[in-house]
Amino acid sequence: DVQSHQVAALKSESDCLKAQVEKEKASSEAMIHQLNAKLTAVQLKNDELVRKLESDAKAKNSEILRLKDVIFERSRKVADLESKIKSIGAGNTDMMTEIGSLKS
């Protein structure tokens, strides 16, 4: 009868271990589910941030291109004005020479 008592004790211990394993398995599955949900939320947030950064970069790039156009146009106008000033200056020099010759 000692043997049947040992078998019953081993069966009881086995049942306890099985219950413990099942409990730990359920806990692990719940943790995995929770971590997957957090990971998904972080990935969605990162995707949203990347889209915003891309959009901001496009806007900044457009602004840079617009400013380059403005700078180019202003540089062209400055060059035109410098050219006009030089031609006016050259005209004044010719006029001064002519006035000087008239005085002689």
Side-chain angles (χ1 to χ4, degrees), residues 1-59:
D1 214 302
V2 171
Q3 188 177 10
S4 65
H5 182 59
Q6 288 176 340
V7 168
L10 288 174
K11 184 175 180 338
S12 175
E13 186 178 342
S14 172
D15 290 343
C16 284
L17 288 173
K18 283 180 185 178
Q20 184 178 355
V21 167
E22 289 298 319
K23 182 180 177 182
E24 289 175 6
K25 180 182 173 187
S27 176
S28 294
E29 288 174 351
M31 183 178 285
I32 289 170
H33 179 72
Q34 183 182 14
L35 291 173
N36 281 333
K38 285 181 180 181
L39 178 61
T40 299
V42 168
Q43 286 173 332
L44 289 173
K45 187 174 182 178
N46 286 346
D47 290 347
E48 182 182 328
L49 289 172
V50 167
R51 281 191 297 276
K52 184 180 181 334
L53 288 172
E54 287 173 344
S55 175
D56 290 351
K58 285 180 184 178

Side-chain angles (χ1 to χ4, degrees), residues 67-78:
L67 290 172
K68 282 183 178 180
D69 288 343
V70 168
I71 290 168
F72 176 78
E73 185 61 29
R74 287 182 181 171
S75 295
R76 190 185 60 77
K77 286 180 181 180
V78 166

